[in-house]
Amino acid sequence: MSSEDGVRRRFHAARRRRSLAILAVLLALVGLFYTVSMARVGRQLELRQAGPAARP
């Protein structure tokens, strides 16, 4: 076992961890965006169902 193998393995582990972190952040952003857009659509539907009288 040469030291180069250990360095390479450590580098690959770090790269995998970084890509997993990036993937988790992307998933969180997509989930947040989806939640916000669904809440906005739901509010618009409520306003439309209530009619113009409920509008401030």
Side-chain angles (χ1 to χ4, degrees):
M1 288 294 270
S2 67
S3 61
E4 208 174 292
D5 276 347
V7 168
R8 194 174 294 147
R9 192 173 299 131
R10 203 173 299 140
F11 178 72
H12 278 306
R15 227 171 78 187
R16 193 182 305 134
R17 204 173 299 131
R18 192 179 302 135
S19 63
L20 275 176
I22 290 172
L23 217 133
V25 167
L26 279 176
L27 274 174
L29 282 175
V30 168
L32 187 72
F33 180 73
Y34 181 74
T35 304
V36 168
S37 62
M38 285 308 288
R40 196 171 291 153
V41 166
R43 202 175 302 135
Q44 284 177 356
L45 283 176
E46 280 177 24
L47 283 175
R48 203 171 295 147
Q49 283 175 354
R55 222 167 260 158

